[in-house]
Amino acid sequence: MGFEFIYLVNSCFINWDLEMYYGAKDIPAEARSTSLSDQLGQIQYIFSDKTGTLTQNIMSFKKCCVNGTIYGSDTGHENKQPQGSGLSWEHPGEQKSGVCDVTLLEAAQRDNDPVLREFLRLLALCHTVMVEDRGDQLVYQAASPDEEALVLAARSLGYVFLGRTQDSITIRELGRTRTYKLLAMLDFNSDRKRMSVLVRDPQGTIRLYTKGADTVILERLRSRGPRESLTESALDRFAEETLRTLCVASREVSEAEFRTWGRRHREAAALLGDRARELDRLYEEMEQNLQLLGATAIEDKLQDGVPETIQLLKLGNIKVWVLTGDKQETAMNIGYACRLLTDDMEILEEKEVSEILQAYWESNNNLSGHGDAPCSLSQQHPETPSHKRAIIISGDFLDRILHTGEVLKEKKGWPWQRLCCGRAEASQDQGALVEKAFVDLATSCQAVICCRVTPKQKALMVQLVKKHKKAVTLAIGDGANDVNMIKTADIGVGISGLEGLQAVQCSDYALAQFSFLQRLLLVHGRWNYLRICKFLRCFFYKTFAGLLAQVWFAFHSGFTAQPLYEGWFLALYNIFYTAYPVLSVGLFEQDVSAKKSLEFPELYVVGQQDELFNYRVFGVTLLHGVGTSLISFYITLWAFEDHVGTRVVGDYESFSVTVALSALLSVLVEIVLDTQYWTVLSFLMVTASLLLFCLFSFLTQTVDAYRIAPAIFRFPDASWNALTDPYVLLVVLLSLVVNTLPSLTVHAIRATLGRATTQQRIQLRARRAPEPPVELRSHVPRGSFRRSSYAFSHQQGYGGLITRGDSLRVRDSGDSGRVRDNLCVRDSLRVRDNLRVRDSGGSGRVRDSLRVRDSLHVRDSLHVRDSGNSGRVRDSLRVRDSLRVRDSGDSGRLALTLWPPGWQPSSLGSAKPSEPLV
């Protein structure tokens, strides 16, 4: 119980730490688990997301490249708009986009560049954003901050997204409202890395608009010319500035091609099996021969204190691995900006990693059993120390590495057949050997950055390190895509960011900023590990020292089951006499202050190596406790064997009291000597232990208590008779001195050596060169391949919700009514729809509340009131793809149906045959 109490109080200390309180959003640190506080002081590997964890996840549109021309800041056109220029299309109080390039605003207003027109039109049409009309302003709700930034940018440039229905999208282009018929939505997922919309414009032309990762867009272009080369150069430039990039493209689709493709699309959508695969194949056919319009660049700044935090963690021998969905160049430059990577590091990319692993496999075939895997890997580049390396790989490369094990089982030729010949690992599965080789190489480096990884791959990386290194791991993230990683790690930390609370709800600790991680680990984690270890040492020591004397007494009593101590002493020893001092050590102990813990992060290594409590420490504690019990028992036995004096106290009861007091005082003095941080409560707890011993000894050893219950209170006045004899007091003092002298000697030696070591650390710190300032500059080698920075915050997009009509905003100007449907979608997949229908003819009022969760399970409660009739009907339905309203006031029946795209009902009551009502 005391152990759990210490865990609970230490967790409260984390919650109460004002240094980890984020006042801007009123978010304190939260310890959601109370049994992992000691492991916070033993972390060896940290797996971190980038977007929203290292960065602020506040996206702002900074630059774009349209038709080979770059617009945005740092291009010489970002001067402020003149007063009354009329270039801005944003209204006061609306969300801001951050577009400040006057040249881009003027070019959009002139409307004489067809490529720029299509570029901005694509930003306003190709997305899954929902809009809420709050009177004088439009509020956008997006599943991804990137999409919201792009839609806001289009609005500020004159292309305003107004709303959508199940089969249409309405935008305002430079003041003119246009409605596009939505023919199909080719939804995003982490495998396609892109999304598209197929629309028919008011003139009847069918166009496909596509946006996505540059690697998938560029390979689907109709042709490659100078404009495409300029766009690729712009992508490299954006990546060097740590901007998140996307490519946008479009093409015109003929009526014949759409009819053929649409028929096949409807057939594929109706399949019960392999529907997703067939749809992906049709999407692939449609998204070909594209015309590149340009590229976008979105800025996501680093959080405050991230570089300093990573630097401290590295000095504390904690390795930080970044697992992100961004492109390689963006992730690399973020790594340099946050000091995860340095200029003197050797960067190992996929080609170098493959060469090292191949050499490792060949050396395993040629060696006869001398050396091990880590040695072979560390010798591949002897000119560079292993701690000055960093690995940067992609999710595709990681898949090839991890799937190699399955391939090896099927391969029979060289070198796979003799991969493990003559090795100590010959009994291992060959796939496990490949995994171990990669993990050994990665863990020998100081930093690892994995680009373009999926949530499953993030969790797999954590699992590999736990499996092959047996290390304590920590995962930190802020979004739903980090949940798998957080659950897989030994300790999960959730960031309360802009991507919902799923990461926080699945985590063990919740923080508001990444920079608070340094205090959580280097201060609270190290303190908690120190306290738990000292508590265990003191607990075992006081148990052995106080109670083993009964074992030694048994040798002299002939093993007659005669107890040495009074029964009340045995009952109260662990409850009152020694519990409070040990608890004070577990609650308040500190070796250095919080400031010194952050100033010398090297002290954290003690917990990683588990130096404070292991088998050796337990053995020393056991021997110490046994020695204390032996000294307390046999010094008293020796003194009582030859006792002469005015009063005879050499009886059994006095002997018991003398041994008990000697052991108790020795334990308390040992705890006092081992305590490095004293508080008022620590002093009161030690004092309370002595006072409680005196109090209970008096109460349980009175003559009156003996007369009432002689079988229970069997030591009448034993302590008074023994402790009033100077001889007994000298025996207790002698036992205390002999027990304490070895501990005093050891503490003196440790204090002397510790003072010298601290002095050396201070001198080393003073000689350390100052860290260079953080600057966002290019560190990308020219020969590196490019990847997209499209961050995947979810596996699947929300296009299905829109095309099924589950999440719509509909306006109908006719007399039949008015429908409003507001949607707020976040990564937690929680959808709230408010549907309100008014009928001007019957003054009826329908309210429909929808609530959708991850399983896309929708329940509808309909409340119908008809002012023309006295009847009142309440109808509760369960809705999938259809919604039905019944009105008891009329004999007729009205059905509202959400028809799938492309399906025209033959008849629907009074509704038009070719138009769905919603």
Side-chain angles (χ1 to χ4, degrees):
M1 185 177 67
F3 204 65
E4 294 299 327
F5 180 73
I6 291 175
Y7 275 129
L8 176 62
V9 175
N10 284 331
S11 299
C12 292
F13 289 157
I14 295 176
N15 298 338
W16 299 337
D17 192 348
L18 295 179
E19 296 294 330
M20 295 194 296
Y21 171 75
Y22 189 53
K25 295 185 178 180
D26 191 24
I27 301 177
E30 180 184 3
R32 300 173 54 85
S33 174
T34 60
S35 59
L36 299 173
S37 57
D38 58 322
Q39 292 190 17
L40 287 175
Q42 300 177 282
I43 301 299
Q44 300 182 41
Y45 295 92
I46 293 178
F47 299 88
S48 174
D49 181 36
K50 184 187 76 67
T51 304
T53 303
L54 299 178
T55 60
Q56 298 178 7
N57 201 19
I58 301 177
M59 310 299 177
S60 58
F61 186 91
K62 285 298 179 183
K63 294 184 178 182
C64 65
C65 178
V66 182
N67 202 16
T69 304
I70 298 178
Y71 301 96
S73 58
D74 300 329
T75 58
H77 311 295
E78 62 273 14
N79 43 331
K80 297 182 179 180
Q81 305 172 21
Q83 292 286 341
S85 62
L87 295 179
S88 177
W89 298 86
E90 296 176 344
H91 298 283
E94 289 187 334
Q95 299 155 290
K96 302 299 180 182
S97 65
V99 178
C100 57
D101 192 334
V102 176
T103 303
L104 180 59
L105 291 170
E106 292 175 348
Q109 190 178 41
R110 286 194 300 267
D111 196 26
N112 55 7
D113 186 351
V115 177
L116 178 59
R117 185 188 310 120
E118 288 295 302
F119 177 87
L120 298 177
R121 186 175 293 160
L122 183 148
L123 298 184
L125 292 174
C126 187
H127 55 77
T128 58
V129 176
M130 304 304 294
V131 62
E132 179 181 357
D133 190 355
R134 296 182 181 176
D136 59 341
Q137 61 179 344
L138 298 175
V139 178
Y140 295 136
Q141 302 287 352
S144 169
D146 302 79
E147 280 203 331
E148 182 180 1
L150 294 176
V151 175
L152 290 175
R155 183 178 71 179
S156 66
L157 295 171
Y159 288 73
V160 184
F161 170 59
L162 298 178
R164 67 167 74 246
T165 68
Q166 180 184 352
D167 57 358
S168 67
I169 301 176
T170 303
I171 65 175
R172 184 167 57 243
E173 301 179 1
L174 301 177
R176 300 184 303 272
T177 301
R178 295 165 60 93
T179 299
Y180 292 80
K181 185 175 182 181
L182 180 61
L183 303 178
M185 180 171 289
L186 286 59
D187 204 6
F188 161 86
N189 62 47
S190 58
D191 294 326
R192 286 170 30 81
K193 305 173 186 177
R194 63 192 181 277
M195 76 160 292
S196 303
V197 291
L198 193 63
V199 298
R200 187 189 300 272
D201 62 18
Q203 288 75 31
T205 305
I206 301 177
R207 295 198 64 86
L208 175 75
Y209 294 102
T210 304
K211 70 177 181 182
D214 49 16
T215 51
V216 297
I217 298 297
L218 294 178
E219 65 185 15
R220 288 167 173 79
L221 299 181
R222 180 187 303 123
S223 60
R224 303 290 289 270
R227 185 173 60 183
E228 286 74 17
S229 300
L230 291 175
T231 303
E232 291 189 61
S233 302
L235 287 171
D236 292 333
R237 175 177 171 181
F238 296 158
E240 292 172 2
E241 300 172 9
T242 70
L243 300 177
R244 300 157 60 88
T245 59
L246 279 179
C247 283
V248 296
S250 70
R251 78 178 181 96
E252 184 175 340
V253 181
S254 64
E255 288 287 346
E257 180 184 359
F258 170 70
R259 282 195 298 268
T260 304
W261 184 89
R263 176 180 52 80
R264 296 169 58 197
H265 179 263
R266 288 191 295 271
E267 293 174 355
L271 291 177
L272 298 179
D274 295 333
R275 179 172 58 180
R277 186 174 62 182
E278 289 298 321
L279 288 176
D280 286 344
R281 186 171 59 84
L282 288 174
Y283 295 166
E284 180 71 23
E285 293 180 6
M286 177 59 67
E287 295 168 330
Q288 298 293 334
N289 299 322
L290 300 175
Q291 177 185 359
L292 184 65
L293 300 177
T296 63
I298 298 176
E299 182 183 35
D300 187 12
K301 294 182 179 179
L302 282 176
Q303 293 183 12
D304 296 334
V306 168
E308 294 78 10
T309 299
I310 291 182
Q311 184 66 18
L312 285 177
L313 295 176
K314 289 166 62 177
L315 293 175
N317 197 34
I318 301 176
K319 296 182 179 180
V320 180
W321 293 18
V322 175
L323 312 178
T324 178
D326 281 353
K327 65 186 296 185
Q328 182 189 22
E329 290 83 353
T330 302
M332 283 183 63
N333 285 283
I334 288 292
Y336 280 104
C338 64
R339 299 181 187 172
L340 183 62
L341 305 177
T342 57
D343 290 328
D344 58 346
M345 275 187 181
E346 178 189 10
I347 306 299
L348 302 180
E349 296 187 5
E350 297 178 1
K351 180 179 179 181
E352 291 82 358
V353 173
S354 300
E355 293 174 353
I356 294 175
L357 292 179
Q358 181 64 31
Y360 164 73
W361 293 330
E362 293 177 356
S363 65
N364 272 272
N365 293 326
N366 297 328
L367 291 176
S368 59
H370 301 287
D372 53 9
C375 294
S376 300
L377 290 172
S378 62
Q379 292 172 0
Q380 299 302 325
H381 290 263
E383 70 278 359
T384 303
S386 61
H387 68 279
K388 289 296 184 180
R389 290 187 198 166
I391 290 180
I392 300 179
I393 59 175
S394 65
D396 294 336
F397 181 80
L398 183 62
D399 271 341
R400 293 198 299 270
I401 289 292
L402 300 181
H403 291 167
T404 303
E406 300 178 1
V407 176
L408 293 180
K409 297 177 183 178
E410 303 176 359
K411 288 183 177 289
K412 302 299 181 183
W414 184 89
W416 317 113
Q417 191 175 9
R418 305 188 305 274
L419 183 64
C420 298
C421 291
R423 300 291 294 161
E425 302 156 335
S427 60
Q428 287 184 337
D429 181 76
Q430 292 180 339
L433 179 60
V434 174
E435 292 179 359
K436 187 176 186 303
F438 170 72
V439 172
D440 287 338
L441 175 61
T443 54
S444 67
C445 300
Q446 189 179 15
V448 175
I449 297 179
C450 297
C451 315
R452 308 291 286 125
V453 291
T454 63
K456 181 179 179 181
Q457 290 172 330
K458 291 182 178 182
L460 186 59
M461 289 293 291
V462 180
Q463 185 178 359
L464 286 178
V465 174
K466 291 177 60 178
K467 175 182 177 182
H468 295 287
K469 287 302 176 181
K470 310 297 181 183
V472 182
T473 59
L474 181 146
I476 180 171
D478 71 314
N481 59 328
D482 304 316
V483 169
N484 291 340
M485 175 178 67
I486 290 174
K487 287 185 174 181
T488 305
D490 295 299
I491 295 179
V493 178
I495 298 293
S496 302
L498 300 178
E499 294 192 14
L501 296 177
Q502 280 195 340
V504 171
Q505 292 171 353
C506 298
S507 64
D508 302 305
Y509 297 90
L511 302 175
Q513 294 282 290
F514 182 85
S515 58
F516 296 157
L517 193 63
Q518 60 175 303
R519 189 170 180 86
L520 180 67
L521 299 184
L522 302 181
V523 178
H524 290 282
R526 206 178 61 81
W527 280 353
N528 293 339
Y529 173 73
L530 171 69
R531 291 165 181 170
I532 292 297
C533 291
K534 277 199 172 184
F535 169 79
L536 292 175
R537 293 207 314 265
C538 294
F539 179 83
F540 286 121
Y541 169 73
K542 61 111 172 170
T543 303
F544 296 143
L547 303 181
L548 280 181
Q550 293 213 119
V551 178
W552 318 136
F553 179 73
F555 286 99
H556 297 273
S557 64
F559 295 94
T560 59
Q562 171 70 29
L564 170 62
Y565 298 129
E566 180 193 12
W568 286 102
F569 180 83
L570 290 174
L572 301 176
Y573 179 78
N574 284 321
I575 299 178
F576 293 108
Y577 299 163
T578 58
Y580 300 127
V582 174
L583 278 178
S584 69
V585 171
L587 295 177
F588 309 116
E589 181 64 357
Q590 300 177 16
D591 55 348
V592 295
S593 64
K595 181 180 178 181
K596 291 295 182 182
S597 297
L598 297 176
E599 185 178 353
F600 298 101
E602 298 88 352
L603 298 173
Y604 191 83
V605 180
V606 175
Q608 294 176 334
Q609 299 174 354
D610 203 10
E611 296 180 359
L612 298 184
F613 194 81
N614 46 43
Y615 289 111
R616 181 187 62 81
V617 174
F618 178 78
V620 172
T621 303
L622 174 61
L623 293 177
H624 190 192
V626 171
T628 300
S629 64
L630 286 172
I631 292 173
S632 300
F633 179 80
Y634 280 102
I635 285 183
T636 305
L637 180 63
W638 166 76
F640 272 59
E641 285 180 350
D642 188 21
H643 173 67
V644 292
T646 58
R647 292 182 296 177
V648 178
V649 293
D651 57 308
Y652 160 69
E653 295 176 358
S654 300
F655 178 78
S656 173
V657 170
T658 306
V659 175
L661 183 58
S662 300
L664 177 60
L665 291 179
S666 298
V667 168
L668 293 180
V669 170
E670 181 65 29
I671 294 176
V672 168
L673 292 176
D674 203 32
T675 302
Q676 296 177 282
Y677 184 75
W678 282 92
T679 63
V680 176
L681 289 177
S682 301
F683 176 79
L684 291 178
M685 286 184 175
V686 175
T687 306
S689 297
L690 291 174
L691 295 178
L692 289 173
F693 173 76
C694 298
L695 176 63
F696 284 109
S697 297
F698 172 76
L699 294 177
T700 59
Q701 296 179 8
T702 60
V703 176
D704 294 335
Y706 175 75
R707 290 172 181 173
I708 296 172
I712 299 177
F713 304 99
R714 298 184 301 169
F715 280 49
D717 287 338
S719 296
W720 177 263
N721 293 332
L723 299 180
T724 54
D725 188 350
Y727 185 82
V728 174
L729 296 178
L730 289 175
V731 172
V732 173
L733 180 60
L734 178 62
S735 299
L736 181 61
V737 170
V738 175
N739 282 325
T740 307
L741 190 60
S743 297
L744 284 174
T745 304
V746 172
H747 280 83
I749 294 175
R750 286 181 176 176
T752 304
L753 296 179
R755 188 178 301 112
T757 303
T758 303
Q759 186 67 23
Q760 293 173 0
R761 287 174 177 169
I762 293 176
Q763 293 175 358
L764 178 63
R765 185 81 176 199
R767 291 196 303 266
R768 186 177 297 154
E771 295 294 333
V774 179
E775 53 178 328
L776 299 180
R777 55 192 179 89
S778 174
H779 294 271
V780 181
R782 283 298 171 189
S784 64
F785 54 91
R786 185 174 60 254
R787 300 182 184 278
S788 171
S789 66
Y790 201 12
F792 303 132
S793 58
H794 46 274
Q795 285 284 346
Q796 186 74 24
Y798 301 116
L801 295 175
I802 296 173
T803 55
R804 287 197 306 270
D806 293 338
S807 53
L808 300 176
R809 171 180 168 73
V810 186
R811 291 184 177 181
D812 190 354
S813 58
D815 296 336
S816 58
R818 183 179 181 185
V819 182
R820 290 186 179 180
D821 190 3
N822 302 327
L823 173 66
C824 181
V825 183
R826 296 193 183 274
D827 286 344
S828 60
L829 296 180
R830 181 172 180 179
V831 185
R832 294 183 177 178
D833 281 321
N834 297 323
L835 194 64
R836 185 172 181 179
V837 183
R838 294 183 179 178
D839 191 345
S840 59
S843 69
R845 186 175 181 182
V846 182
R847 291 185 178 180
D848 185 11
S849 300
L850 306 180
R851 187 168 183 175
V852 183
R853 295 191 181 273
D854 294 346
S855 59
L856 299 180
H857 184 78
V858 184
R859 295 180 182 272
D860 268 280
S861 299
L862 300 181
H863 189 183
V864 183
R865 295 182 180 178
D866 191 345
S867 60
N869 300 288
S870 60
R872 184 174 180 180
V873 181
R874 293 185 178 180
D875 189 8
S876 298
L877 304 177
R878 185 173 180 177
V879 180
R880 298 284 182 178
D881 287 327
S882 62
L883 182 67
R884 173 167 290 182
V885 183
R886 295 181 179 178
D887 191 347
S888 61
D890 301 303
S891 59
R893 186 174 181 180
L894 174 63
L896 296 178
T897 305
L898 305 178
W899 302 113
W903 182 29
Q904 303 296 335
S906 58
S907 63
L908 186 63
S910 61
K912 295 180 181 180
S914 61
E915 295 181 358
L917 293 181
V918 178

